[in-house]
Amino acid sequence: MENSANSLRRWKDDIVLLINEFVQEVNSQYASLITEPLTVNKRSLDRIWYTYDKELEKFKRKYLKKSSKDKEVKIDYHKITALYLKVFLIFEPIRLTHEGLEKRKEISDIQFEYIMDHANEIFCASLIEVIFRGNGWDDDTKRPEKRLMLSDKEKRWLIILLNHYRIYPDTIDVLSLAHTVYYLEQARFRLP
């Protein structure tokens, strides 16, 4: 169990590093086609950190009848992960650059189009795995060898679910999403 009031302070730098690495990796993957198709919108990240605190407070009042300032209140990292996913999907911090937008129309590469159209959802799926590997970042070395082992069909459906939530953020139910995250960990998080 994580003291959820501390999760933002503890995880923020790691998440910023992770999102920047994700964007750099995608950009380098397509360097032969385009200079930098993706960028991280810093304003969106600022809104994510602010909104995460508000969503956490709202979640605790609704389900736990407590305030996040209450030091005794702890929620598991599946729910914390779901809250992070929610705010990342609402504010979409990964954006196409102007050049990326132009090239998106010109390049007829299905994988390029898919990644450009679903960058935030793909990042959220990788965020889930990183949180699992560190068991909520309690200990970064706890389970580094394990991976989220999804079939291609399961990956596609996870991205479709996250895309639905990105397009219709009002439909995000944190408890349902937390249960989905829990299921992924229990059923699909294992050694490669």
Side-chain angles (χ1 to χ4, degrees):
M1 296 287 254
E2 168 75 44
N3 182 328
S4 49
N6 291 329
S7 66
L8 178 61
R9 282 192 307 278
R10 289 186 54 212
W11 296 8
K12 181 179 175 181
D13 292 340
D14 291 322
I15 292 173
V16 169
L17 180 66
L18 183 65
I19 197 168
N20 285 322
E21 286 175 354
F22 174 82
V23 168
Q24 286 173 357
E25 183 180 326
V26 170
N27 286 345
S28 67
Q29 185 177 357
Y30 292 101
S32 64
L33 299 174
I34 182 172
T35 308
E36 288 190 348
L38 297 177
T39 187
V40 177
N41 184 299
K42 304 298 184 210
R43 185 169 176 231
S44 290
L45 277 180
D46 290 341
R47 293 172 75 190
I48 284 169
W49 311 135
Y50 174 80
T51 305
Y52 172 82
D53 280 338
K54 299 297 177 203
E55 289 293 322
L56 176 63
E57 184 69 30
K58 188 166 59 173
F59 177 84
K60 286 185 172 184
R61 268 185 276 134
K62 182 175 181 178
Y63 294 105
L64 305 174
K65 309 294 186 229
K66 301 276 185 174
S67 163
S68 63
K69 292 170 183 44
D70 184 344
K71 300 294 183 211
E72 299 304 312
V73 175
K74 295 183 179 188
I75 61 175
D76 64 76
Y77 61 90
H78 304 100
K79 292 175 187 72
I80 291 171
T81 303
L83 286 166
Y84 274 116
L85 294 176
K86 179 178 181 176
V87 295
F88 268 85
L89 293 169
I90 288 171
F91 292 110
E92 304 178 59
I94 302 172
R95 306 277 173 90
L96 277 169
T97 62
H98 178 69
E99 184 183 4
L101 192 56
E102 292 300 313
K103 289 287 188 181
R104 164 70 181 82
K105 297 173 188 172
E106 296 172 14
I107 298 172
S108 61
D109 179 308
I110 292 172
Q111 184 170 352
F112 176 77
E113 291 175 13
Y114 181 79
I115 292 172
M116 296 304 110
D117 291 346
H118 300 95
N120 286 287
E121 295 89 328
I122 295 167
F123 169 75
C124 285
S126 66
L127 179 62
I128 293 169
E129 182 176 25
V130 169
I131 292 172
F132 287 172
R133 284 201 319 255
N135 193 11
W137 273 304
D138 284 339
D139 178 0
D140 289 340
T141 62
K142 201 164 202 161
R143 305 181 297 178
E145 69 284 351
K146 289 190 175 184
R147 295 288 179 262
L148 190 56
M149 305 295 289
L150 300 174
S151 69
D152 289 341
K153 187 177 183 179
E154 289 168 326
K155 284 178 195 171
R156 187 177 76 234
W157 281 108
L158 177 59
I159 299 302
I160 288 170
L161 174 68
L162 295 173
N163 181 255
H164 170 79
Y165 286 149
R166 182 183 61 79
I167 294 169
Y168 304 104
D170 292 342
T171 65
I172 300 173
D173 176 67
V174 173
L175 285 180
S176 296
L177 187 53
H179 286 310
T180 301
V181 168
Y182 175 79
Y183 164 77
L184 288 171
E185 182 181 36
Q186 294 304 307
R188 297 291 183 237
F189 188 66
R190 56 184 182 249
L191 293 171

